Amino acid sequence: MKLLDMARTLHLVKLPVFGILAVNQSLYFAIRSAKYGRIVLRGRIYMAKLSLYLATLLLGTNFSATTVPSDPIVAVVAPITVTADEQRLIDLTNAERWDRNLGALSVNPLLVQVARQHSKEMYDKSYFDHKSPTPGLNSPMQRYLKALGRTPTWAYLGENLFYCSVVNVELGHKCLMESTKHRENILNPRFEQIGVGVYEAPDGQFFVTQMFLAQTD
């Protein structure tokens, strides 16, 4: 979804043939959520569960299951320092889980890296979507596996997206929690790790990609 289109459309709800797509667009902010089911890799079985939800604010669009990159690279992930905004979103997420007796999520530096790249790309290429226009990096699972550089035995991945025309961390968390499917990602007891990537554009636009992971190596 082009950002210019977001400013032109007030509200749209659409049902694709293989899932529920809910769209509600605003001039000011937007959120999206996606959740993938388990993958049993090495070319045998791939199962994907797609969850896209309306919040009170923006959009969803469909995207298909992905495959493991055909030419994986060796991932090199240096120790990473999260920004204050990223840390605040992580803390708010873990506070919600703590209140419900769920385990805290540990920060995965690779997820942070992948999330940051997606947030920046959405600004650079003027879109807001889980599905990237970059070949080989179309879906959250593809982006993660490409960065990982190998094939895990099992992986379960979720992604939330938030956009605002100004930097507002508290609003972002509030909107995500008020949306059923985004809240399900945040409170999913199966997830063990989190990565949050924030990009603040020169003009003040605020893009957040929030990724969740459970994995068996």
Side-chain angles (χ1 to χ4, degrees):
M1 174 65 68
K2 293 288 187 180
L3 292 179
L4 289 178
D5 294 336
M6 290 164 48
R8 296 183 185 131
T9 306
L10 294 178
H11 185 85
L12 174 64
V13 176
K14 180 178 178 183
L15 300 178
V17 293
F18 54 84
I20 296 177
L21 168 62
V23 179
N24 179 18
Q25 303 184 25
S26 168
L27 291 172
Y28 301 105
F29 47 87
I31 59 177
R32 303 187 88 164
S33 171
K35 187 186 300 174
Y36 289 83
R38 71 187 182 101
I39 53 170
V40 181
L41 299 172
R42 308 189 192 285
R44 293 195 297 271
I45 302 172
Y46 187 96
M47 296 174 60
K49 179 182 178 184
L50 182 63
S51 300
L52 298 173
Y53 191 69
L54 163 76
T56 46
L57 316 169
L58 181 72
L59 37 66
T61 192
N62 52 31
F63 51 89
S64 59
T66 67
T67 56
V68 183
S70 58
D71 192 17
I73 58 173
V74 177
V76 178
V77 183
I80 201 162
T81 301
V82 296
T83 67
D85 288 341
E86 291 166 346
Q87 186 64 57
R88 179 60 176 158
L89 285 162
I90 292 166
D91 291 344
L92 289 168
T93 294
N94 277 331
E96 300 287 357
R97 294 174 66 90
W98 176 267
D99 287 345
R100 295 161 177 83
N101 297 313
L102 299 171
L105 301 173
S106 61
V107 176
N108 181 322
L110 183 61
L111 289 181
V112 174
Q113 175 183 302
V114 174
R116 284 177 177 172
Q117 289 169 350
H118 188 60
S119 291
K120 186 175 187 301
E121 184 187 88
M122 287 191 291
Y123 172 77
D124 289 341
K125 297 189 175 182
S126 190
Y127 75 96
F128 180 71
D129 205 327
H130 297 289
K131 185 173 183 178
S132 166
T134 302
L137 300 176
N138 297 128
S139 74
M141 186 67 81
Q142 254 187 323
R143 293 190 289 275
Y144 170 66
L145 292 176
K146 183 71 172 180
L148 186 63
R150 60 182 177 82
T151 302
T153 303
W154 181 90
Y156 183 67
L157 181 72
E159 181 180 85
N160 289 343
L161 301 180
F162 174 76
Y163 163 82
C164 190
S165 54
V166 297
V167 176
N168 195 324
V169 172
E170 307 296 326
L171 174 63
H173 179 72
K174 180 176 183 292
C175 291
L176 292 170
M177 284 300 296
E178 289 180 351
S179 163
T180 302
K181 294 301 180 183
H182 299 83
R183 185 170 63 249
E184 285 178 0
N185 273 346
I186 290 171
L187 301 179
N188 190 324
R190 298 177 67 183
F191 287 133
E192 300 169 348
Q193 300 174 45
I194 188 173
V196 176
V198 165
Y199 181 69
E200 183 179 347
D203 58 3
Q205 294 182 77
F206 186 54
F207 292 81
V208 176
T209 301
Q210 188 179 54
M211 301 185 75
F212 306 89
L213 178 69
Q215 178 174 308
T216 301
D217 291 327

